């Protein structure tokens, strides 16, 4: 067979399988590194989607979802990493999935709750609220200094152990705060409410760490005060955390229509369904949201870590108060920042 015949035979041979160039140059789509990147991106996306899905479904789920929801904005980091991995792996479905997850996560990083309150009647006066978790009472000295400096009308103290309670009794002048509701317990269980205005007794919320309540008489109006300090959502203890926040929600529902201040360490953020249910049940507003400080951290305050969140809150009834300012105060020897809130009370 001559050369021309060989050429004709080659030209007549059936074509081989078409090369798929949509995923890149021949052979690259199946490269082990690209396959590994796509698989890893899928695993990351599955985890992030589970957490963000719970946020969208208005549920808190089980460990590790409640813990991760506390730091929801940080989920943009693994979501972005999954996008890069999917792109490297030339996984188009993964890229679309990652973009959707990033969009939903970004949406939920926006502040939650109403932007303003709508009080009725004429203003009766201004009030300052200070709340502080002193971490077993270790920050009591700085708290007492802050009380003297800030001169709040109401002080809510969480984790006020025996030494803390004794110091408040001995070093905070009765002439300045003659009205008090102090629950003397050791460790993290103790709590206290100090007031410049007359207090009458109110039911406490059953809890592992004391959550006392009181009714203050301010300019002829009753103001219901409630300290909040539910258990944290530790692994295996999510049920207790959910139950105690549920009791705070039940209190808020029962007090709806009254002038209400709920302050303390909620061990929950705006991204937890259990916390949002408290707001909804009592028509309450988060003062930090009203002051455009929804994402200002309060915990942990004693570590140099970017992973911080806001779990300390002052909630107010929207028909009775406006929020004039919100400040986060750093105290030594505690992992929480104190929260000072200036309010204006209306007739209602």
């Amino acid at each position: 067979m001559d050369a021309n015949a060989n050429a004709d035979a080659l030209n007549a041979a059936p074509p081989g399988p078409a090369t798929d160039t949509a995923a890149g140059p021949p052979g690259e789509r199946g490269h082990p590194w690209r396959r590994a990147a796509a698989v890893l991106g899928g695993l990351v996306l599955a985890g992030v989607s589970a957490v963000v899905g719970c946020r969208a479904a208005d549920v808190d789920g089980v460990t590790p979802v409640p813990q991760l929801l506390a730091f929801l904005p940080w989920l943009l980091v693994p979501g972005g990493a999954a996008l890069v991995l999917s792109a490297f792996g030339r996984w188009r479905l993964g890229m679309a999935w990652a973009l959707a997850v990033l969009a939903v996560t970004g949406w939920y990083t926006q502040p939650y709750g109403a932007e303003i309150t709508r009080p009725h009647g004429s203003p009766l006066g201004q009030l300052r609220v200070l709340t502080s978790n002193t971490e077993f009472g270790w920050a009591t000295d700085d708290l007492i200094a802050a009380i003297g400096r800030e001169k709040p009308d109401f002080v809510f103290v969480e984790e006020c152990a025996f030494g803390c309670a004794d110091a408040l009794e001995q070093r905070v002048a009765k002439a300045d705060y003659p009205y008090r509701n102090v629950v003397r317990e050791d460790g993290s269980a103790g709590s206290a409410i100090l007031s410049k205005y007359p207090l009458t007794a109110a039911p406490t919320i059953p809890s592992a760490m004391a959550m006392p309540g009181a009714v203050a008489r301010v300019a002829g109006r009753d103001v219901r005060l409630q300290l909040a300090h539910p258990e944290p959502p530790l692994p295996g203890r999510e049920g207790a955390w959910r139950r105690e926040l549920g009791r705070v929600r039940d209190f808020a529902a029962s007090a709806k229509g009254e002038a209400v201040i709920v302050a303390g360490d909620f061990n929950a953020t705006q991204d937890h369904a259990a916390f949002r249910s408290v707001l909804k049940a009592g028509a309450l507003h988060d003062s930090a949201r009203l002051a455009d400080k929804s994402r200002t951290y309060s915990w942990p305050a004693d570590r140099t870590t970017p992973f911080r969140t806001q779990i300390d809150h002052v909630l107010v009834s929207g028909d009775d108060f406006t929020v004039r300012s919100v400040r986060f105060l750093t105290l030594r020897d505690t992992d929480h920042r104190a929260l000072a809130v200036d309010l204006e009370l209306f007739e209602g």
Side-chain angles (χ1 to χ4, degrees), residues 53-120:
C54 286
R55 176 65 178 86
D58 203 31
V59 296
D60 291 322
V62 297
T63 296
V65 174
Q67 295 84 0
L68 292 174
L69 278 172
F71 304 97
L72 182 128
W74 283 100
L75 294 181
L76 291 169
V77 175
L83 176 60
V84 172
L85 289 167
S86 299
F88 179 77
R90 300 195 173 185
W91 181 30
R92 290 179 180 143
L93 177 60
M95 287 187 279
W97 182 7
L99 287 171
V101 167
L102 287 170
V104 175
T105 306
W107 172 260
Y108 283 119
T109 61
Q110 298 179 95
Y112 174 81
E115 296 182 15
I116 60 172
T117 56
R118 302 184 184 279
H120 306 299

Side-chain angles (χ1 to χ4, degrees), residues 323-341:
V323 175
R324 298 169 59 86
S325 70
V326 171
R327 289 172 295 121
F328 290 83
L329 312 176
T330 299
L331 307 184
R332 293 172 300 175
D333 301 320
T334 176
D335 55 350
H336 290 254
R337 292 209 287 180
L339 185 57
V341 178

Side-chain angles (χ1 to χ4, degrees), residues 48-347:
V48 175
S49 297
V51 179
V52 177
C54 286
R55 176 65 178 86
D58 203 31
V59 296
D60 291 322
V62 297
T63 296
V65 174
Q67 295 84 0
L68 292 174
L69 278 172
F71 304 97
L72 182 128
W74 283 100
L75 294 181
L76 291 169
V77 175
L83 176 60
V84 172
L85 289 167
S86 299
F88 179 77
R90 300 195 173 185
W91 181 30
R92 290 179 180 143
L93 177 60
M95 287 187 279
W97 182 7
L99 287 171
V101 167
L102 287 170
V104 175
T105 306
W107 172 260
Y108 283 119
T109 61
Q110 298 179 95
Y112 174 81
E115 296 182 15
I116 60 172
T117 56
R118 302 184 184 279
H120 306 299
S122 302
L124 296 176
Q126 297 177 15
L127 297 170
R128 178 169 291 173
V129 175
L130 178 66
T131 180
S132 174
N133 180 322
T134 61
E135 194 173 7
F136 308 112
W138 296 335
T140 301
D141 289 344
D142 270 24
L143 171 62
I144 292 173
I147 291 172
R149 184 173 61 252
E150 300 292 334
K151 297 178 170 48
D153 297 282
F154 302 119
V155 182
F156 296 80
V157 190
E158 303 85 59
E159 297 198 20
C160 186
F162 291 143
C164 169
D166 292 341
L168 294 178
E169 173 71 20
Q170 297 163 11
R171 296 165 52 193
V172 177
K174 290 289 183 65
D176 295 330
Y177 295 92
Y179 310 102
R180 308 180 181 207
N181 184 351
V182 179
V183 180
R184 288 182 57 85
E185 296 283 352
D186 202 9
S188 64
S191 296
I193 300 175
L194 279 59
S195 173
K196 291 185 175 182
Y197 293 93
L199 296 180
T200 54
T204 63
I205 296 177
S207 55
M209 296 177 288
M211 293 198 278
V215 178
R217 189 70 176 170
V218 182
R221 277 209 75 180
D222 286 341
V223 177
R224 181 69 164 86
L225 307 178
Q226 180 60 55
L227 185 146
H229 194 199
E231 286 196 48
L234 299 174
R237 296 291 299 170
E238 310 97 319
W241 168 73
R242 199 173 285 111
R243 273 194 307 276
E244 293 195 356
L245 272 170
R247 291 169 187 160
V248 178
R249 178 200 60 220
D250 294 343
F251 156 77
S254 69
K256 190 174 181 178
E258 304 176 30
V260 177
I261 299 173
V262 188
D265 170 11
F266 285 74
N267 279 311
T269 75
Q270 69 171 46
D271 296 308
H272 288 114
F275 176 73
R276 296 192 300 276
S277 72
V278 174
L279 300 179
K280 294 173 187 175
L284 300 175
H285 298 255
D286 192 338
S287 59
R289 167 69 175 111
L290 299 174
D292 196 26
K293 294 185 177 180
S294 292
R295 294 292 180 185
T296 302
Y297 80 88
S298 68
W299 176 89
D302 61 343
R303 280 164 276 176
T304 55
T305 172
F307 299 105
R308 291 169 166 169
T309 189
Q310 186 183 124
I311 61 175
D312 299 87
H313 308 275
V314 173
L315 311 183
V316 297
S317 48
D319 291 339
D320 307 287
F321 294 97
T322 58
V323 175
R324 298 169 59 86
S325 70
V326 171
R327 289 172 295 121
F328 290 83
L329 312 176
T330 299
L331 307 184
R332 293 172 300 175
D333 301 320
T334 176
D335 55 350
H336 290 254
R337 292 209 287 180
L339 185 57
V341 178
D342 288 329
L343 305 171
E344 189 156 24
L345 174 65
F346 286 73
E347 287 178 343

